[in-house]
Amino acid sequence: MRQTEYFLAACDPKTLTVGQLMQDAVTRCTPRTDASTIAHLMTHRNFGSLPVVEEDGTLVGIVSEYDLLQAMIEGRDLRKILATEIMSAQPVTVTEEQTLVQVADLFQDRYLARVPVVRNKKLVGILARRDLLFGYTKALQHWS
């Protein structure tokens, strides 16, 4: 859940941080999760990507719709492929302290739809373009 959903007073949208905007309940998978399971999770929950984490919560990659489609195009059986084989290792990440303006620029410059949020290399949330827009409009409601 986003902290911005609890805003009681408006604020300058430029002061919003990733920590306020991110979703902290993140569905994730492990490096050993098969691609078929990942595809099922993503399609049934309407996700565009799934973070890949070790048991201790360390982010090691991300599997996107692109990665799954590429495997399908190559004729690979998604039931026999592990996340570690198709994930993007070392994905672009952000921290909770970064501002809305900083991450909006990052999203635009890198053509990102969502980005994992990390603290000491551990996954703590995920931030989507939609979260930026949601937080921005909530903050603007009474701000002048």
Side-chain angles (χ1 to χ4, degrees):
M1 172 150 315
R2 304 178 200 102
Q3 288 184 28
T4 48
E5 292 182 39
Y6 298 110
F7 277 3
L8 298 176
C11 66
D12 181 349
K14 294 175 187 168
T15 66
L16 290 173
T17 65
V18 168
Q20 293 171 300
L21 299 166
M22 71 181 191
Q23 298 281 343
D24 59 6
V26 183
T27 301
R28 56 193 75 195
C29 66
T30 71
R32 302 215 35 88
T33 305
D34 67 81
S36 178
T37 300
I38 294 168
H40 177 81
L41 281 168
M42 288 172 55
T43 56
H44 284 80
R45 296 190 180 175
N46 200 25
F47 297 148
S49 62
L50 211 56
V52 183
V53 298
E54 296 288 355
E55 281 186 35
D56 68 355
T58 301
L59 179 72
V60 293
I62 193 163
V63 176
S64 68
E65 293 166 328
Y66 176 88
D67 300 320
L68 292 167
L69 287 172
Q70 189 61 43
M72 289 169 44
I73 288 168
E74 294 168 1
R76 299 172 75 188
D77 185 342
L78 295 184
R79 298 170 297 183
K80 297 178 181 177
I81 303 170
L82 301 179
T84 192
E85 298 175 62
I86 61 170
M87 71 184 188
S88 298
Q90 302 173 348
V92 174
T93 62
V94 295
T95 63
E96 297 161 282
E97 297 78 27
Q98 288 180 264
T99 65
L100 180 144
V101 174
Q102 291 171 326
V103 295
D105 283 341
L106 177 68
F107 274 61
Q108 293 298 88
D109 291 346
R110 300 290 298 266
Y111 303 102
L112 300 171
R114 65 201 55 79
V115 62
V117 182
V118 295
R119 182 187 316 131
N120 299 321
K121 299 184 181 180
K122 305 237 190 279
L123 181 71
V124 295
I126 197 148
L127 183 72
R129 287 184 301 206
R130 186 172 301 141
D131 297 322
L132 296 179
L133 295 170
F134 179 85
Y136 182 85
T137 57
K138 284 292 264 189
L140 272 183
Q141 284 179 349
H142 301 288
W143 186 74
S144 54

